[in-house]
Amino acid sequence: MITRRGFLKWLGLAGATLATYSIVIEPGFLLRTQNYALTPPRWTNGLKLRLVLLADPHLVEPHMPLARWERIIARANTLGGDLILLMGDYVSGQILRTGTIPVAETARAAAALKAPLGVFSINGNHDWWDDRFAQLSEQGPPEAQRAMEANGIPVLANRAVRLTKDGTPFWLTGTDSIVAIKKGHGRFEGRDDLPGTLAQVTDDAPIIHLAHEPDLFTGIPDRVSLTLSGHTHGGQVRIFGWSPVTPSQFGNRYAYGHIVENGRHLIVSGGLGCSIFPVRIGVPPEITVVDLG
């Protein structure tokens, strides 16, 4: 029979094991490749495209050091992506840290990413929130965007680009953060312009849209074949497909994975880093690979 003292020892050991796994092992050492394969609506017959997504790295010491980011970049380069897409949140809002990594170093490392059709980026909310000048002036571009562009990585902040694969065209569009500017008392002001972005599309080729926060999906029109997002980290804690806390007004609706609503498709990456607290359980850091067509 287990004694009360023995039970408390067991309970303490189990707690320490869970804490070690959730704070050290899963967020700091694990890295999986999460694959999706689909032919979205309004997709050109015969167009085959592989997308490699790196979302929410949140570089910070000691949880996501520059060396780990460089290893993730090296891994991404081996996955055969036609496009590599950086989904925002390069800086960290973590409370527990031993050091801050300048976003210029993050961007310099990202310059090593290579893909036949290019590497593209969007801004995340933390890229705005942690830029004091951008918050005070309520204007961009934020430092993270300037750093990416200085290293040859275009940032699709309310922009559209037309690309071709084997002679077949498609559009890659991206909007800025919908919660870019803190207005106080839990209120935010976005710097996204979805109508203005889609107005740059000049033909009927399929559209892939990048939106850091998946909440924008509610306003995405049928014209867009696929929307890609990050931001949620899958809730950082995910148990049997349910996340108790997500940074979304819709709760678990857009927390993670491939979501289809009224014929429209959204894929939300679980991302790489952590926000606020360095904890992950049930949703390890991931590189997201999407095969279209």
Side-chain angles (χ1 to χ4, degrees):
M1 179 180 293
I2 188 170
T3 65
R4 181 174 180 273
R5 177 175 293 181
F7 174 75
L8 292 175
K9 285 183 177 180
W10 177 87
L11 192 62
L13 179 61
T17 301
L18 179 61
T20 300
Y21 177 81
S22 64
I23 296 174
V24 178
I25 296 174
E26 183 165 314
F29 290 94
L30 300 186
L31 179 64
R32 70 176 178 179
T33 302
Q34 177 64 42
N35 294 84
Y36 300 93
L38 67 150
T39 300
R42 290 162 296 281
W43 194 251
T44 303
N45 186 38
L47 175 58
K48 295 185 182 298
L49 203 61
R50 170 166 282 197
L51 314 175
V52 174
L53 280 63
L54 301 179
D56 307 286
H58 288 293
L59 268 74
V60 67
E61 295 284 357
H63 313 293
M64 179 64 78
L66 190 62
R68 177 163 165 78
W69 175 231
E70 290 170 341
R71 290 194 297 271
I72 291 169
I73 287 167
R75 172 84 169 272
N77 279 336
T78 70
L79 296 176
D82 296 299
L83 281 167
I84 296 180
L85 306 173
L86 302 174
M87 302 301 295
D89 271 6
Y90 312 107
V91 299
S92 176
Q94 279 198 37
I95 297 170
L96 303 173
R97 65 173 70 195
T98 59
T100 298
I101 298 172
V103 71
E105 294 186 18
T106 302
R108 275 195 294 271
L113 289 164
K114 305 296 179 186
L117 301 184
V119 179
F120 294 86
S121 174
I122 57 173
N123 295 321
N125 58 299
H126 281 281
D127 302 322
W128 281 92
W129 290 359
D130 287 59
D131 187 327
R132 290 187 179 182
F133 180 79
Q135 291 299 308
L136 289 172
S137 66
E138 299 189 351
Q139 295 180 2
E143 183 183 2
Q145 178 175 340
R146 298 196 304 271
M148 288 294 176
E149 291 172 341
N151 284 275
I153 300 174
V155 178
L156 301 181
N158 304 318
R159 288 181 52 203
V161 294
R162 190 177 188 269
L163 303 170
T164 60
K165 167 84 182 293
D166 299 328
T168 302
F170 65 95
W171 288 87
L172 185 66
T173 61
T175 39
D176 218 325
S177 174
I178 65 174
V179 289
I181 305 299
K182 295 181 178 181
K183 304 297 285 187
H185 305 290
R187 296 180 299 113
F188 301 93
E189 188 174 278
R191 287 295 177 264
D192 56 302
D193 181 4
L194 181 60
T197 301
L198 296 182
Q200 299 169 42
V201 174
T202 56
D203 58 30
D204 61 355
I207 300 171
I208 300 167
H209 186 72
L210 313 182
H212 177 71
E213 297 94 354
D215 285 13
L216 187 74
F217 185 62
T218 58
I220 295 289
D222 291 344
R223 173 68 180 86
V224 175
S225 294
L226 175 65
T227 302
L228 301 171
S229 294
H231 182 60
T232 65
H233 311 172
Q236 290 189 195
V237 175
R238 192 163 178 82
I239 304 168
F240 302 117
W242 176 75
S243 303
V245 178
T246 59
S248 166
Q249 64 176 313
F250 299 107
N252 270 263
R253 180 175 169 184
Y254 302 139
Y256 179 72
H258 182 195
I259 298 111
V260 181
E261 288 187 353
N262 301 318
R264 299 173 306 126
H265 289 249
L266 167 70
I267 291 176
V268 182
S269 171
L272 294 159
C274 297
S275 184
I276 311 302
F277 294 105
V279 172
R280 277 184 180 258
I281 300 176
V283 56
E286 71 175 51
I287 299 175
T288 309
V289 177
V290 182
D291 286 302
L292 299 177

